[in-house]
Amino acid sequence: EASQAGEGIFDLIADLKKHPEVGVPLYGPLINTVTRGARLKKFYLRSAATGVGKSRSMIADACYIGCNKIFDPNFGWIKTGVAQPTLFITTEQELEEIQTMMLAFLSNVNEEHILNAEYEGDEEKRVMQAAEILSNSPLYVEELPDFSLKDVEDKIKKNIRDQDVKYVLHDY
């Protein structure tokens, strides 16, 4: 049955005064303007051509939500807020590929330097600090190279149950 448009409207307005509809920040100021952050129970879909950086963008968001610090070249290690339980589901890359991208994002070190183990200045120290942050973060990675919709649903439910995951990013 349809609801009358004004049903509960005054309660909604009062509730929004107490609890504004804003989620935890995603990485980058523009995306937060558009989405109002990563809001619970909301679905965000990003679509772009191959090689544009969708996976890296999602890894940045996963790290920004799931970790409590990132390295900023102007300020050093900065707090990103409270680390929230986050699941990153990958379908094309293996765990190690995801991990090096996460290390590169958190430490602000070129991934090529990490992959070649050829660091400049304090990069190795920053990568080790990023590894420590990742090791202590409620950020989980599931590899699903060959999957059905049921497999994705099962992995999400399992991680909600076992890890108290609140945010899910599915890279497909």
Side-chain angles (χ1 to χ4, degrees), residues 56 100 103-105 107-120 123 126-127:
R56 290 181 191 281
T100 57
L103 287 171
F105 171 75
S107 66
N108 195 36
V109 171
N110 185 314
E111 190 181 4
E112 287 296 315
H113 295 194
I114 297 168
L115 293 170
N116 294 325
E118 294 176 357
Y119 300 103
E120 298 173 4
E123 288 181 342
R126 291 191 341 239
V127 167

Side-chain angles (χ1 to χ4, degrees), residues 10-21:
F10 296 103
D11 291 338
L12 172 62
I13 293 167
D15 189 53
L16 288 170
K17 275 189 171 183
K18 292 179 196 164
H19 310 285
E21 183 62 28

